[in-house]
Amino acid sequence: MNAVKSIEANLIRLALKGDQRAFADLVGMYQDKLYHLAYRMLYNRQEAEDAVQETFLRVFRNMERYDESMKFSTWIYRITTNLAIDRLRRRKPGFSLDAEVPEHDGLDGYSMFASEDASPEDEVLLSETQRIIRAAIETLPPKYKSVMVLRYLEDLSLQEISDVLDMPVTTIKTRVHRGREFLRKKLEHKL
């Protein structure tokens, strides 16, 4: 363990003097650890990667501010933690159909709705989630259910839904919003 600390201390001294190779080695030492920390806080692969990248940018820009009496790991972990907290604060609470689904990297809530373009692999991966979403849609009050089905399953525009249901677009917008809120509340503990 002392050898690792000695290597780290040497890399820090070199990085403080502007040695880019030493900084790259520090990145290599901490990259995976910081990613795991950020991911555990954010539960989103892309956001965790972004937080780690921002951490290293800040460390690089502020290397001269590093207090050598502190442990480097404490300093860099604090930066990552603060960045993750900032990202969490910017998030809106609850489930969003626009948000990435944690169990399915790269997919958002809208992708859970049935699609004619889905591959067999996608259908297998999404079938359980689709079942949960469909069950939630089934529980919607009829005035919201019809709007949500037309909007998200049939992919109609607000104007088209207005024409189909013979209602003002403002009413359709309100029902879409309330339907999404209803679904969010239903799905927030299931997905």
Side-chain angles (χ1 to χ4, degrees), residues 14-28:
L14 291 170
L16 282 166
K17 293 178 183 176
D19 185 327
Q20 291 184 359
R21 185 175 293 150
F23 185 79
D25 289 343
L26 284 172
V27 168

Side-chain angles (χ1 to χ4, degrees), residues 87-178:
R87 287 176 176 276
L88 288 171
R89 285 183 182 145
R90 286 191 301 249
R91 284 184 183 172
K92 291 187 178 188
F95 178 81
S96 167
L97 291 175
D98 294 318
E100 185 175 303
V101 179
E103 303 86 39
H104 305 290
D105 282 346
L107 298 177
D108 60 20
Y110 294 111
S111 66
M112 300 299 152
F113 290 107
S115 168
E116 294 174 21
D117 302 327
S119 70
E121 296 87 22
D122 290 341
E123 288 181 24
V124 169
L125 287 172
L126 303 178
S127 63
E128 178 63 16
T129 306
Q130 286 176 342
R131 185 193 63 71
I132 291 168
I133 290 173
R134 284 187 181 139
I137 289 172
E138 289 300 315
T139 65
L140 284 171
K143 67 183 182 179
Y144 301 131
K145 183 177 179 181
S146 61
V147 171
M148 296 303 284
V149 168
L150 290 171
R151 180 74 180 115
Y152 297 110
L153 298 181
E154 297 299 322
D155 202 27
L156 296 182
S157 70
L158 296 175
Q159 183 60 55
E160 290 169 325
I161 298 169
S162 171
D163 295 342
V164 168
L165 298 177
D166 195 28
M167 293 180 189
V169 173
T170 54
T171 302
I172 301 302
K173 285 181 183 178
T174 301
R175 289 189 180 182
V176 166
H177 175 73
R178 289 182 182 160

Side-chain angles (χ1 to χ4, degrees), residues 3-39:
V4 172
K5 288 185 182 197
S6 175
I7 292 169
E8 180 184 84
N10 189 40
L11 290 173
I12 292 166
R13 275 192 297 280
L14 291 170
L16 282 166
K17 293 178 183 176
D19 185 327
Q20 291 184 359
R21 185 175 293 150
F23 185 79
D25 289 343
L26 284 172
V27 168
M29 286 179 74
Y30 282 97
Q31 185 172 314
D32 289 342
K33 294 172 188 171
L34 297 178
Y35 172 79
H36 292 295
L37 169 66
Y39 186 82

Side-chain angles (χ1 to χ4, degrees), residues 65-84:
R65 291 184 184 171
Y66 169 63
D67 178 0
E68 291 184 65
S69 67
M70 277 179 63
K71 286 177 65 178
F72 184 77
S73 60
T74 302
W75 185 58
I76 199 166
Y77 276 90
R78 180 179 299 146
I79 293 168
T80 303
T81 301
N82 288 339
L83 287 167

